[in-house]
Amino acid sequence: MSVVIIGGNECMECQYKQICKKHKCKAKVFTKMKGNLKEQIGKPDLIILFTGTTAHKMVHCAIKEAQRHDVRVERSHSSSANALNRILSECCG
């Protein structure tokens, strides 16, 4: 399963990827807005939005891409490791 994480803390980026790997998911993490975010998101199985640490522009871009490709979106105000574990446990089984 491929996962795109939008937002979160820069210092947690490696930890997010390790947690996804533990749940047998391949992850892309975007903590900052990049000019070509739309193209980099691609067509994942799941998009996780950490809304507490994300710019509105990034959220809007991710939602638009999710709707365009019919991708599931999960939102969490918290960008903690526990929040990510909980989301992946629910979505990946």
Side-chain angles (χ1 to χ4, degrees):
M1 180 178 213
S2 61
V3 176
V4 170
I5 299 172
I6 306 287
N9 299 310
E10 251 183 286
C11 59
M12 296 273 291
E13 200 169 324
C14 290
Q15 196 173 351
Y16 294 149
K17 288 181 181 181
Q18 287 175 346
I19 292 167
C20 289
K21 197 173 188 178
K22 189 175 78 176
H23 287 274
K24 296 180 177 69
C25 297
K26 192 175 175 187
K28 287 183 188 176
V29 181
F30 300 101
T31 55
K32 290 186 176 179
M33 182 68 180
K34 296 190 172 113
N36 59 348
L37 180 64
K38 182 180 171 182
E39 287 86 30
Q40 288 186 344
I41 289 175
K43 192 177 174 186
D45 299 309
L46 174 67
I47 294 177
I48 299 172
L49 297 174
F50 288 139
T51 56
T53 54
T54 308
H56 290 287
K57 192 174 181 182
M58 288 178 75
V59 171
H60 183 69
C61 179
I63 297 284
K64 213 171 175 180
E65 285 302 296
Q67 289 172 343
R68 197 164 70 110
H69 295 294
D70 194 34
V71 175
R72 180 176 177 179
V73 177
E74 289 292 325
R75 297 172 191 240
S76 173
H77 185 72
S78 171
S79 56
S80 67
N82 285 340
L84 180 58
N85 267 314
R86 180 186 46 79
I87 291 168
L88 292 174
S89 293
E90 290 172 6
C91 297
C92 302

